[in-house]
Amino acid sequence: MSKNSLWWQNGIIYQIYPRSFMDTTANGIGDLNGITNKLDYLADLGIDAIWLSPIFPSPDVDFGYDVADYVAIDPRFGTMADFNHLLKESHKRNIHVILDLVLNHTSDQHPWFKESRKSRDNPYHDWYIWKDPSPRGGPPNNWLSIFGGSGWEFDAQLGQYYYHMFCKGQPDLNWRHPEVREALLNVFKFWLERGVDGFRLDVFNMYFKHSELPDNPKKLIGLRPFDRQVHKYEVSQPEMYPLLNEIRKLLDSYGSTFVVGETFLSSPEHTASYCGQDKLHAAFNFELAKSPWKVKRFTRAIKNWEKALEGRAWPNYFLNNHDMTRSSSRYCQDEDDARAKVCAAMLLTLRGTPFMYYGEEIGMRDISLKHSQILDPVGKRYWPFNKGRDGCRAPMQWDDSVNAGFSSTAPWLPVHPDYILRNVSKQKSEPSSLLNFYKQLIHLRKEHPALNQGNLSVLDPQNKSILSYLRQTPGESILILLNFKQKQITYQFPKQIANQNWRVLFSEKRQAKELCQEQSILILSYETLLLVAD
Ligand code: NOJ
């Protein structure tokens, strides 16, 4: 393992949804040994860390995000020995391992919750948020679940309600209870002792709720009842900051570890407030991933994130995860990957850690399902307005053999029918494939200090086609020009860089090292052009 303590800054983090990556046990569900078998592929791609979506025992009400045991491996994914093997083999290849900790809530099948609901005086009762009905009867306050309906579930035997932001099978923990706090900090320790390199914290800014549980203020506008509330009292409470200090201290005592938080219902500024020296290394800001295909919107998202962080933490960027329609499905036209290449180039040349999501590198598209095939609770609840998140969780497309080489048996979700034409094996052999494009840019990012460590200056958009920015270290300047449109367009070098001689560092459409001698340059359809100052 390299001793580079800044691996999480220089490196690229690749999210794996374990159920869908590679099945070695012929049960239709991916597993840990499947991931281990594919480490050479990942090392060759050039990534530096894998983030595994939850691998712990779970009744799968929310596919792993309802954890029934934080310190064990779901038997469908393998054993602790398989995990140790995966860790060892990853480290051998300089790949760090990041686990997804879902500590805002447990499964209702977690032994803590089972105890908690036994009686009001059970020692575990206060480990969750239990409350008597309001004096008028009904739930204690107006809090709602983002997955639909009230956030409170009545337990007839206890005569009390418990609170859940997500499914009713995902009761929220009471982080104000000292024993809960201790038990959850022990979860970090358990995995750090085993040698993991970091964590992704699921909806961490939800851990604390206002101690009085007041009603949330109402809002006039919003699609769903959930959107017609100001979520003032169940998220983003100030108690989170000292807890983050404690978590960070704990992590730092184990060396060069990394913790990234998933912020829930948060602006870029508020997300940034959780990052820094004694807080999280990074947190997810969703503005870039939510941008429509408009240069102006991407430019704004990048500037906002840089400004919000104000240099106090290293940025990070992503366009995909297991909760959103894949970027290829959002932006690409049909099977053409031209826009996916522009996305890849942006992700891999911006200042900040790039997060990739499995299959992004081959431009996997979302599957579309009939109502009867939907598994995700969100899709079940909101169909047909929101078809849920199954679409982006389909099996990885390895080759054109049965089930895309993912499994020898029918997978838990259908494979995308385009797998015959879109798969890793095919793209490996095609020099101009999306996969090879990712590899080239990952390689460039590693080779050029300006691309992985340099400053970023976003240049004002000259037109609706070109996103442009400079990455600079004292020794190197790289100009990135991304054409978001199918039509070619002339780019005028802005005054501040017009006196510079630029050479082609990368383009699929022209010779490397070509010198640009004019004051302007013609950028071709959807071209990614990287120029380096001579
Ligand atoms: C955020 C996760 O990313 C999502 O998949 C999950 O449903 C909720 N948190 C609840 O854990």
mmCIF file of all heavy atoms in Angstrom, residues 15 17 51 53-54 62-66 100 102 104-105 146-147 165-167 170 200-203 262 264 286 321-323 376-378 389 393, ligand 1:
data_model
loop_
_atom_site.group_PDB
_atom_site.id
_atom_site.type_symbol
_atom_site.label_atom_id
_atom_site.label_comp_id
_atom_site.label_asym_id
_atom_site.label_seq_id
_atom_site.Cartn_x
_atom_site.Cartn_y
_atom_site.Cartn_z
ATOM 1 N N GLN A 15 -17.591 3.960 -6.725
ATOM 2 C CA GLN A 15 -18.662 3.367 -5.899
ATOM 3 C C GLN A 15 -19.143 2.061 -6.513
ATOM 4 O O GLN A 15 -19.483 2.000 -7.706
ATOM 5 C CB GLN A 15 -19.856 4.329 -5.770
ATOM 6 C CG GLN A 15 -20.965 3.738 -4.904
ATOM 7 C CD GLN A 15 -22.272 4.531 -4.916
ATOM 8 O OE1 GLN A 15 -22.357 5.574 -5.532
ATOM 9 N NE2 GLN A 15 -23.277 3.993 -4.254
ATOM 10 N N TYR A 17 -22.036 -0.907 -6.094
ATOM 11 C CA TYR A 17 -23.279 -1.362 -5.479
ATOM 12 C C TYR A 17 -23.142 -2.888 -5.472
ATOM 13 O O TYR A 17 -23.333 -3.540 -6.514
ATOM 14 C CB TYR A 17 -24.456 -0.871 -6.338
ATOM 15 C CG TYR A 17 -25.792 -0.918 -5.659
ATOM 16 C CD1 TYR A 17 -26.088 -0.059 -4.598
ATOM 17 C CD2 TYR A 17 -26.775 -1.816 -6.078
ATOM 18 C CE1 TYR A 17 -27.323 -0.103 -3.969
ATOM 19 C CE2 TYR A 17 -28.008 -1.855 -5.456
ATOM 20 C CZ TYR A 17 -28.283 -1.002 -4.403
ATOM 21 O OH TYR A 17 -29.508 -1.043 -3.792
ATOM 22 N N TRP A 51 -15.675 2.440 -2.851
ATOM 23 C CA TRP A 51 -16.677 2.662 -1.795
ATOM 24 C C TRP A 51 -17.736 1.602 -2.026
ATOM 25 O O TRP A 51 -18.328 1.531 -3.097
ATOM 26 C CB TRP A 51 -17.196 4.089 -1.876
ATOM 27 C CG TRP A 51 -18.653 4.305 -1.555
ATOM 28 C CD1 TRP A 51 -19.464 3.553 -0.747
ATOM 29 C CD2 TRP A 51 -19.497 5.349 -2.055
ATOM 30 N NE1 TRP A 51 -20.746 4.062 -0.713
ATOM 31 C CE2 TRP A 51 -20.796 5.162 -1.503
ATOM 32 C CE3 TRP A 51 -19.284 6.442 -2.914
ATOM 33 C CZ2 TRP A 51 -21.870 6.011 -1.787
ATOM 34 C CZ3 TRP A 51 -20.347 7.287 -3.191
ATOM 35 C CH2 TRP A 51 -21.625 7.070 -2.625
ATOM 36 N N SER A 53 -21.304 0.188 -1.244
ATOM 37 C CA SER A 53 -22.614 0.409 -0.622
ATOM 38 C C SER A 53 -22.795 -0.701 0.417
ATOM 39 O O SER A 53 -22.114 -1.723 0.361
ATOM 40 C CB SER A 53 -23.706 0.391 -1.685
ATOM 41 O OG SER A 53 -23.805 1.671 -2.275
ATOM 42 N N PRO A 54 -23.704 -0.540 1.387
ATOM 43 C CA PRO A 54 -23.695 -1.411 2.577
ATOM 44 C C PRO A 54 -23.604 -2.919 2.295
ATOM 45 O O PRO A 54 -24.302 -3.444 1.426
ATOM 46 C CB PRO A 54 -25.020 -1.077 3.255
ATOM 47 C CG PRO A 54 -25.309 0.311 2.829
ATOM 48 C CD PRO A 54 -24.777 0.454 1.434
ATOM 49 N N ASP A 62 -34.805 -1.473 2.223
ATOM 50 C CA ASP A 62 -34.208 -0.412 1.417
ATOM 51 C C ASP A 62 -32.842 -0.878 0.892
ATOM 52 O O ASP A 62 -31.879 -0.133 0.852
ATOM 53 C CB ASP A 62 -34.070 0.868 2.265
ATOM 54 C CG ASP A 62 -33.678 2.084 1.434
ATOM 55 O OD1 ASP A 62 -33.806 2.028 0.196
ATOM 56 O OD2 ASP A 62 -33.244 3.086 2.029
ATOM 57 N N PHE A 63 -32.784 -2.152 0.525
ATOM 58 C CA PHE A 63 -31.611 -2.744 -0.116
ATOM 59 C C PHE A 63 -30.287 -2.367 0.533
ATOM 60 O O PHE A 63 -29.430 -1.731 -0.072
ATOM 61 C CB PHE A 63 -31.655 -2.467 -1.631
ATOM 62 C CG PHE A 63 -32.866 -3.118 -2.212
ATOM 63 C CD1 PHE A 63 -34.031 -2.407 -2.419
ATOM 64 C CD2 PHE A 63 -32.875 -4.484 -2.410
ATOM 65 C CE1 PHE A 63 -35.178 -3.034 -2.867
ATOM 66 C CE2 PHE A 63 -34.022 -5.121 -2.845
ATOM 67 C CZ PHE A 63 -35.167 -4.406 -3.078
ATOM 68 N N GLY A 64 -30.145 -2.790 1.772
ATOM 69 C CA GLY A 64 -28.877 -2.624 2.481
ATOM 70 C C GLY A 64 -28.826 -1.368 3.341
ATOM 71 O O GLY A 64 -28.022 -1.281 4.262
ATOM 72 N N TYR A 65 -29.673 -0.382 3.025
ATOM 73 C CA TYR A 65 -29.665 0.853 3.819
ATOM 74 C C TYR A 65 -30.568 0.717 5.047
ATOM 75 O O TYR A 65 -30.929 1.708 5.684
ATOM 76 C CB TYR A 65 -30.010 2.059 2.936
ATOM 77 C CG TYR A 65 -28.825 2.402 2.043
ATOM 78 C CD1 TYR A 65 -28.650 1.776 0.816
ATOM 79 C CD2 TYR A 65 -27.834 3.281 2.470
ATOM 80 C CE1 TYR A 65 -27.530 2.047 0.020
ATOM 81 C CE2 TYR A 65 -26.726 3.557 1.693
ATOM 82 C CZ TYR A 65 -26.572 2.939 0.471
ATOM 83 O OH TYR A 65 -25.457 3.200 -0.297
ATOM 84 N N ASP A 66 -30.934 -0.518 5.361
ATOM 85 C CA ASP A 66 -31.623 -0.851 6.617
ATOM 86 C C ASP A 66 -30.783 -1.969 7.231
ATOM 87 O O ASP A 66 -30.897 -3.121 6.849
ATOM 88 C CB ASP A 66 -33.078 -1.283 6.354
ATOM 89 C CG ASP A 66 -33.233 -2.295 5.233
ATOM 90 O OD1 ASP A 66 -32.518 -2.202 4.208
ATOM 91 O OD2 ASP A 66 -34.053 -3.230 5.375
ATOM 92 N N ASP A 100 -19.763 1.986 3.666
ATOM 93 C CA ASP A 100 -20.926 2.871 3.752
ATOM 94 C C ASP A 100 -21.590 2.615 5.103
ATOM 95 O O ASP A 100 -22.129 1.528 5.344
ATOM 96 C CB ASP A 100 -21.876 2.484 2.605
ATOM 97 C CG ASP A 100 -22.840 3.581 2.222
ATOM 98 O OD1 ASP A 100 -23.242 4.340 3.118
ATOM 99 O OD2 ASP A 100 -23.201 3.649 1.034
ATOM 100 N N VAL A 102 -24.510 3.398 7.693
ATOM 101 C CA VAL A 102 -25.867 3.954 7.730
ATOM 102 C C VAL A 102 -26.240 4.067 9.201
ATOM 103 O O VAL A 102 -26.822 3.151 9.789
ATOM 104 C CB VAL A 102 -26.844 3.024 6.983
ATOM 105 C CG1 VAL A 102 -28.203 3.685 6.827
ATOM 106 C CG2 VAL A 102 -26.278 2.627 5.629
ATOM 107 N N ASN A 104 -27.874 6.731 10.809
ATOM 108 C CA ASN A 104 -29.010 7.558 11.227
ATOM 109 C C ASN A 104 -30.151 6.677 11.726
ATOM 110 O O ASN A 104 -30.931 7.071 12.578
ATOM 111 C CB ASN A 104 -29.515 8.403 10.053
ATOM 112 C CG ASN A 104 -30.803 9.114 10.380
ATOM 113 O OD1 ASN A 104 -30.828 9.988 11.246
ATOM 114 N ND2 ASN A 104 -31.894 8.709 9.739
ATOM 115 N N HIS A 105 -30.225 5.481 11.137
ATOM 116 C CA HIS A 105 -31.319 4.563 11.462
ATOM 117 C C HIS A 105 -30.801 3.134 11.361
ATOM 118 O O HIS A 105 -29.749 2.898 10.745
ATOM 119 C CB HIS A 105 -32.485 4.759 10.491
ATOM 120 C CG HIS A 105 -32.035 4.866 9.054
ATOM 121 N ND1 HIS A 105 -31.736 6.079 8.458
ATOM 122 C CD2 HIS A 105 -31.788 3.935 8.107
ATOM 123 C CE1 HIS A 105 -31.356 5.885 7.211
ATOM 124 N NE2 HIS A 105 -31.359 4.580 6.964
ATOM 125 N N ILE A 146 -39.693 11.018 4.017
ATOM 126 C CA ILE A 146 -39.411 11.388 2.617
ATOM 127 C C ILE A 146 -39.858 10.279 1.672
ATOM 128 O O ILE A 146 -40.058 10.502 0.481
ATOM 129 C CB ILE A 146 -37.920 11.751 2.405
ATOM 130 C CG1 ILE A 146 -37.755 12.412 1.036
ATOM 131 C CG2 ILE A 146 -37.017 10.551 2.587
ATOM 132 C CD1 ILE A 146 -36.457 13.116 0.819
ATOM 133 N N PHE A 147 -40.049 9.090 2.191
ATOM 134 C CA PHE A 147 -40.533 7.985 1.357
ATOM 135 C C PHE A 147 -42.068 7.958 1.301
ATOM 136 O O PHE A 147 -42.669 7.033 0.777
ATOM 137 C CB PHE A 147 -39.997 6.645 1.861
ATOM 138 C CG PHE A 147 -38.540 6.392 1.521
ATOM 139 C CD1 PHE A 147 -37.872 5.264 2.016
ATOM 140 C CD2 PHE A 147 -37.824 7.259 0.704
ATOM 141 C CE1 PHE A 147 -36.541 5.011 1.691
ATOM 142 C CE2 PHE A 147 -36.489 7.021 0.381
ATOM 143 C CZ PHE A 147 -35.849 5.893 0.886
ATOM 144 N N MET A 165 -37.434 8.654 9.212
ATOM 145 C CA MET A 165 -37.422 9.551 8.046
ATOM 146 C C MET A 165 -37.644 8.754 6.768
ATOM 147 O O MET A 165 -38.200 9.255 5.807
ATOM 148 C CB MET A 165 -36.071 10.281 7.984
ATOM 149 C CG MET A 165 -35.795 11.023 6.690
ATOM 150 S SD MET A 165 -37.106 12.164 6.197
ATOM 151 C CE MET A 165 -36.642 13.670 7.013
ATOM 152 N N PHE A 166 -37.202 7.485 6.765
ATOM 153 C CA PHE A 166 -37.301 6.703 5.527
ATOM 154 C C PHE A 166 -38.444 5.686 5.705
ATOM 155 O O PHE A 166 -39.511 6.057 6.171
ATOM 156 C CB PHE A 166 -35.928 6.122 5.176
ATOM 157 C CG PHE A 166 -34.911 7.234 4.974
ATOM 158 C CD1 PHE A 166 -34.074 7.647 6.003
ATOM 159 C CD2 PHE A 166 -34.857 7.924 3.768
ATOM 160 C CE1 PHE A 166 -33.185 8.714 5.834
ATOM 161 C CE2 PHE A 166 -33.980 8.992 3.586
ATOM 162 C CZ PHE A 166 -33.142 9.375 4.619
ATOM 163 N N CYS A 167 -38.235 4.401 5.371
ATOM 164 C CA CYS A 167 -39.332 3.429 5.501
ATOM 165 C C CYS A 167 -39.653 3.187 6.969
ATOM 166 O O CYS A 167 -38.806 3.405 7.845
ATOM 167 C CB CYS A 167 -38.925 2.106 4.886
ATOM 168 S SG CYS A 167 -38.734 2.162 3.120
ATOM 169 N N GLN A 170 -37.139 1.360 8.941
ATOM 170 C CA GLN A 170 -35.852 2.030 9.186
ATOM 171 C C GLN A 170 -35.994 3.059 10.315
ATOM 172 O O GLN A 170 -35.898 4.273 10.093
ATOM 173 C CB GLN A 170 -35.382 2.744 7.901
ATOM 174 C CG GLN A 170 -35.062 1.798 6.759
ATOM 175 C CD GLN A 170 -34.859 2.537 5.440
ATOM 176 O OE1 GLN A 170 -35.805 3.085 4.880
ATOM 177 N NE2 GLN A 170 -33.644 2.562 4.946
ATOM 178 N N ARG A 200 -18.216 6.281 4.115
ATOM 179 C CA ARG A 200 -19.210 7.210 3.571
ATOM 180 C C ARG A 200 -20.345 7.176 4.581
ATOM 181 O O ARG A 200 -20.815 6.103 4.973
ATOM 182 C CB ARG A 200 -19.652 6.729 2.195
ATOM 183 C CG ARG A 200 -20.771 7.572 1.548
ATOM 184 C CD ARG A 200 -22.079 6.839 1.596
ATOM 185 N NE ARG A 200 -23.135 7.536 0.868
ATOM 186 C CZ ARG A 200 -24.419 7.295 1.051
ATOM 187 N NH1 ARG A 200 -24.822 6.379 1.922
ATOM 188 N NH2 ARG A 200 -25.326 7.942 0.367
ATOM 189 N N LEU A 201 -20.741 8.340 5.068
ATOM 190 C CA LEU A 201 -21.771 8.390 6.102
ATOM 191 C C LEU A 201 -23.113 8.756 5.476
ATOM 192 O O LEU A 201 -23.294 9.866 4.952
ATOM 193 C CB LEU A 201 -21.407 9.418 7.176
ATOM 194 C CG LEU A 201 -20.058 9.213 7.876
ATOM 195 C CD1 LEU A 201 -19.882 10.260 8.973
ATOM 196 C CD2 LEU A 201 -19.955 7.807 8.462
ATOM 197 N N ASP A 202 -24.029 7.826 5.544
ATOM 198 C CA ASP A 202 -25.363 8.024 4.994
ATOM 199 C C ASP A 202 -26.095 9.109 5.790
ATOM 200 O O ASP A 202 -26.106 9.072 7.029
ATOM 201 C CB ASP A 202 -26.109 6.683 5.114
ATOM 202 C CG ASP A 202 -27.398 6.645 4.340
ATOM 203 O OD1 ASP A 202 -27.342 6.578 3.108
ATOM 204 O OD2 ASP A 202 -28.475 6.669 4.983
ATOM 205 N N VAL A 203 -26.711 10.049 5.087
ATOM 206 C CA VAL A 203 -27.507 11.146 5.679
ATOM 207 C C VAL A 203 -27.048 11.559 7.101
ATOM 208 O O VAL A 203 -27.854 11.637 8.024
ATOM 209 C CB VAL A 203 -29.028 10.828 5.670
ATOM 210 C CG1 VAL A 203 -29.537 10.731 4.247
ATOM 211 C CG2 VAL A 203 -29.406 9.576 6.430
ATOM 212 N N GLU A 262 -22.800 12.078 3.292
ATOM 213 C CA GLU A 262 -23.906 12.376 2.383
ATOM 214 C C GLU A 262 -24.838 13.350 3.090
ATOM 215 O O GLU A 262 -25.472 13.004 4.087
ATOM 216 C CB GLU A 262 -24.688 11.112 2.023
ATOM 217 C CG GLU A 262 -25.809 11.412 1.036
ATOM 218 C CD GLU A 262 -26.996 10.467 1.128
ATOM 219 O OE1 GLU A 262 -27.235 9.884 2.209
ATOM 220 O OE2 GLU A 262 -27.702 10.312 0.131
ATOM 221 N N PHE A 264 -28.124 15.668 3.518
ATOM 222 C CA PHE A 264 -29.538 15.474 3.191
ATOM 223 C C PHE A 264 -30.209 16.838 3.236
ATOM 224 O O PHE A 264 -30.020 17.579 4.207
ATOM 225 C CB PHE A 264 -30.116 14.516 4.250
ATOM 226 C CG PHE A 264 -31.532 14.099 4.018
ATOM 227 C CD1 PHE A 264 -31.876 13.340 2.905
ATOM 228 C CD2 PHE A 264 -32.523 14.425 4.930
ATOM 229 C CE1 PHE A 264 -33.187 12.924 2.713
ATOM 230 C CE2 PHE A 264 -33.834 14.013 4.745
ATOM 231 C CZ PHE A 264 -34.165 13.261 3.619
ATOM 232 N N PHE A 286 -24.949 18.232 -4.235
ATOM 233 C CA PHE A 286 -25.657 17.633 -5.380
ATOM 234 C C PHE A 286 -25.858 18.578 -6.568
ATOM 235 O O PHE A 286 -26.445 18.181 -7.567
ATOM 236 C CB PHE A 286 -27.021 17.089 -4.912
ATOM 237 C CG PHE A 286 -26.888 15.823 -4.114
ATOM 238 C CD1 PHE A 286 -26.569 15.862 -2.763
ATOM 239 C CD2 PHE A 286 -27.056 14.589 -4.711
ATOM 240 C CE1 PHE A 286 -26.417 14.706 -2.020
ATOM 241 C CE2 PHE A 286 -26.906 13.412 -3.986
ATOM 242 C CZ PHE A 286 -26.586 13.468 -2.629
ATOM 243 N N ASN A 321 -24.840 8.219 -8.678
ATOM 244 C CA ASN A 321 -24.787 7.335 -7.520
ATOM 245 C C ASN A 321 -25.997 6.404 -7.573
ATOM 246 O O ASN A 321 -26.737 6.414 -8.573
ATOM 247 C CB ASN A 321 -24.671 8.116 -6.198
ATOM 248 C CG ASN A 321 -25.916 8.899 -5.871
ATOM 249 O OD1 ASN A 321 -27.027 8.535 -6.271
ATOM 250 N ND2 ASN A 321 -25.761 9.973 -5.132
ATOM 251 N N HIS A 322 -26.195 5.638 -6.530
ATOM 252 C CA HIS A 322 -27.245 4.617 -6.557
ATOM 253 C C HIS A 322 -28.641 5.187 -6.326
ATOM 254 O O HIS A 322 -29.602 4.428 -6.207
ATOM 255 C CB HIS A 322 -26.942 3.566 -5.482
ATOM 256 C CG HIS A 322 -26.969 4.160 -4.112
ATOM 257 N ND1 HIS A 322 -26.023 5.067 -3.675
ATOM 258 C CD2 HIS A 322 -27.832 4.034 -3.090
ATOM 259 C CE1 HIS A 322 -26.321 5.458 -2.456
ATOM 260 N NE2 HIS A 322 -27.417 4.838 -2.065
ATOM 261 N N ASP A 323 -28.753 6.501 -6.193
ATOM 262 C CA ASP A 323 -30.059 7.119 -5.927
ATOM 263 C C ASP A 323 -30.573 7.940 -7.102
ATOM 264 O O ASP A 323 -31.638 8.538 -6.991
ATOM 265 C CB ASP A 323 -29.966 8.058 -4.711
ATOM 266 C CG ASP A 323 -29.770 7.302 -3.403
ATOM 267 O OD1 ASP A 323 -30.230 6.156 -3.300
ATOM 268 O OD2 ASP A 323 -29.150 7.881 -2.482
ATOM 269 N N ASP A 376 -37.701 -1.040 -5.554
ATOM 270 C CA ASP A 376 -37.356 0.073 -4.681
ATOM 271 C C ASP A 376 -38.606 0.655 -4.002
ATOM 272 O O ASP A 376 -39.600 0.941 -4.681
ATOM 273 C CB ASP A 376 -36.672 1.151 -5.535
ATOM 274 C CG ASP A 376 -36.319 2.383 -4.725
ATOM 275 O OD1 ASP A 376 -36.105 2.247 -3.504
ATOM 276 O OD2 ASP A 376 -36.272 3.483 -5.306
ATOM 277 N N PRO A 377 -38.557 0.849 -2.667
ATOM 278 C CA PRO A 377 -39.736 1.389 -1.975
ATOM 279 C C PRO A 377 -40.188 2.745 -2.517
ATOM 280 O O PRO A 377 -41.379 3.051 -2.513
ATOM 281 C CB PRO A 377 -39.286 1.505 -0.514
ATOM 282 C CG PRO A 377 -37.804 1.359 -0.508
ATOM 283 C CD PRO A 377 -37.451 0.563 -1.738
ATOM 284 N N VAL A 378 -39.238 3.532 -3.014
ATOM 285 C CA VAL A 378 -39.595 4.844 -3.552
ATOM 286 C C VAL A 378 -40.450 4.679 -4.812
ATOM 287 O O VAL A 378 -41.486 5.325 -4.979
ATOM 288 C CB VAL A 378 -38.312 5.668 -3.877
ATOM 289 C CG1 VAL A 378 -38.657 6.978 -4.554
ATOM 290 C CG2 VAL A 378 -37.501 5.899 -2.616
ATOM 291 N N ARG A 389 -35.516 3.980 -7.879
ATOM 292 C CA ARG A 389 -34.082 3.991 -8.145
ATOM 293 C C ARG A 389 -33.543 2.676 -8.678
ATOM 294 O O ARG A 389 -32.342 2.495 -8.809
ATOM 295 C CB ARG A 389 -33.354 4.388 -6.856
ATOM 296 C CG ARG A 389 -33.820 5.734 -6.298
ATOM 297 C CD ARG A 389 -33.446 5.936 -4.856
ATOM 298 N NE ARG A 389 -34.100 4.962 -3.990
ATOM 299 C CZ ARG A 389 -33.900 4.861 -2.681
ATOM 300 N NH1 ARG A 389 -33.067 5.672 -2.084
ATOM 301 N NH2 ARG A 389 -34.540 3.941 -1.963
ATOM 302 N N ARG A 393 -29.523 0.671 -10.834
ATOM 303 C CA ARG A 393 -28.882 -0.363 -10.001
ATOM 304 C C ARG A 393 -28.780 -1.710 -10.714
ATOM 305 O O ARG A 393 -28.594 -2.746 -10.080
ATOM 306 C CB ARG A 393 -29.679 -0.519 -8.698
ATOM 307 C CG ARG A 393 -29.720 0.748 -7.866
ATOM 308 C CD ARG A 393 -30.651 0.637 -6.674
ATOM 309 N NE ARG A 393 -30.616 1.853 -5.867
ATOM 310 C CZ ARG A 393 -31.332 2.039 -4.759
ATOM 311 N NH1 ARG A 393 -32.158 1.088 -4.329
ATOM 312 N NH2 ARG A 393 -31.238 3.171 -4.085
HETATM 313 C C1 NOJ B 1 -29.463 7.739 1.453
HETATM 314 C C2 NOJ B 1 -29.072 6.559 0.624
HETATM 315 O O1 NOJ B 1 -28.178 6.964 -0.369
HETATM 316 C C3 NOJ B 1 -30.345 5.971 0.070
HETATM 317 O O2 NOJ B 1 -30.093 4.952 -0.860
HETATM 318 C C4 NOJ B 1 -31.168 5.458 1.216
HETATM 319 O O3 NOJ B 1 -32.432 5.045 0.734
HETATM 320 C C5 NOJ B 1 -31.389 6.528 2.296
HETATM 321 N N1 NOJ B 1 -30.214 7.296 2.572
HETATM 322 C C6 NOJ B 1 -31.800 5.891 3.567
HETATM 323 O O4 NOJ B 1 -30.714 5.217 4.141
#
